[in-house]
Amino acid sequence: MLLQHLPFSSTKTQRMSEKNKATVLTGITTTGTPHLGNYVGAIRPAIAVSHDEHVSPYYFLADYHALIKCHEPETVRRSSLEIAATWLALGLDTENAVFYRQSDVPEILELTWILTCVTAKGLMNRAHAYKAAVAENEAKHENDPDKGINMGLFSYPILMAADILMFNADKVPVGKDQIQHIEMARDIAARFNHLYGEHFVLPEAVIDEHSATLSGLDGRKMSKSYNNTIPLFAPEKKLRKLINKIKTNSLEPGESKDPDSCTLFSIYRAFATHGEVEEMRKRYAEGIAWGEMKKHLFEYINEKLASPRERYEALLESPEHIEKELRDGAEKAREKSIPFLQELRKAVGIQPIGV
Ligand code: TRP
């Protein structure tokens, strides 16, 4: 057993020394329009990392993931365009980062099958997303606990493992709800390595505790599933309108207000400097009027978003530019995925006969 592992171990050592940069990888499911919550929680930190030459970032549009929960082609198409335009408009460094569309890298899907064949069904039975769907059916007293659940949803963690393992990512920045999927990717990788030799790096989830979580229009966490979002690049008028719609309490001007339970403040804090935030705390204590705070918040973030919004709109006008970036990204990704898949196929016994 040990001997059998030897040649592979040396391949791995070689791979590790070639790459002294950590590979950081994350995917964005293409089912919606980027909103302020996505921006401060995921996009802004990822773009900052894209400029760090000490890491090798892989960011991709998870369009095959989109099909699991969305059967509206126009939504998937439009979302891919908007997400790509957003990331580019915000200054993603596509020299350092590999920015691609999952569906442009067919090796990922081939790897998905290879991994499917080493993944225990029991592991998938335990996935939160699947269990939640079953629990919902049970709560409704459906006869079939699997009602409405497609195989994409059931085996989604395997596709996600393939996304990650295809590029031997070391770090995977994700939201807390995704931690289990990274653990599953590790399990699947370890199982493969055990059976076929050390081909995969075991990935680690990175949870940015410092990145802000925003509240949405109704005060709950800003999330597409609550339908309470503010689109990141909403046109100016719309942005003002949405900010005006944010729920506040009935305290009058002059009455002291609690910033820490306030949605307006949570958004302001995600954009403003430390000094500005402290200043605003004072104004809350002094009883700033809600109308005034809304006006201030709108003006403040509108100014910050104005120039990337302009670039975003220009990009939407020239989708061929976006397409070129994605194709170039896929080409870079495939420089890794094609030879690596070849290696993996060979490892499992799939290779040309007689050579
Ligand atoms: N499932 C992730 C989400 O819903 C998106 C995603 C797909 C992803 N593939 C990935 C994230 C690989 C990290 C790594 O947020």
Side-chain angles (χ1 to χ4, degrees), residues 17-35:
S17 59
E18 271 167 23
K19 63 161 229 193
N20 36 21
K21 295 181 180 187
T23 299
V24 175
L25 175 144
T26 201
I28 317 102
T29 306
T30 54
T31 46
T33 298
H35 56 71

Side-chain angles (χ1 to χ4, degrees), residues 25-29 60 62 65 69 102 156 159-161 163-164 172-175 177-178 181-182:
L25 175 144
T26 201
I28 317 102
T29 306
F60 66 96
H65 281 267
K69 48 185 175 182
Q102 182 185 38
Y156 155 0
L159 178 57
M160 191 157 153
D163 291 330
I164 297 168
V172 186
V174 281
D177 61 324
Q178 297 291 317
H181 295 144
I182 314 301

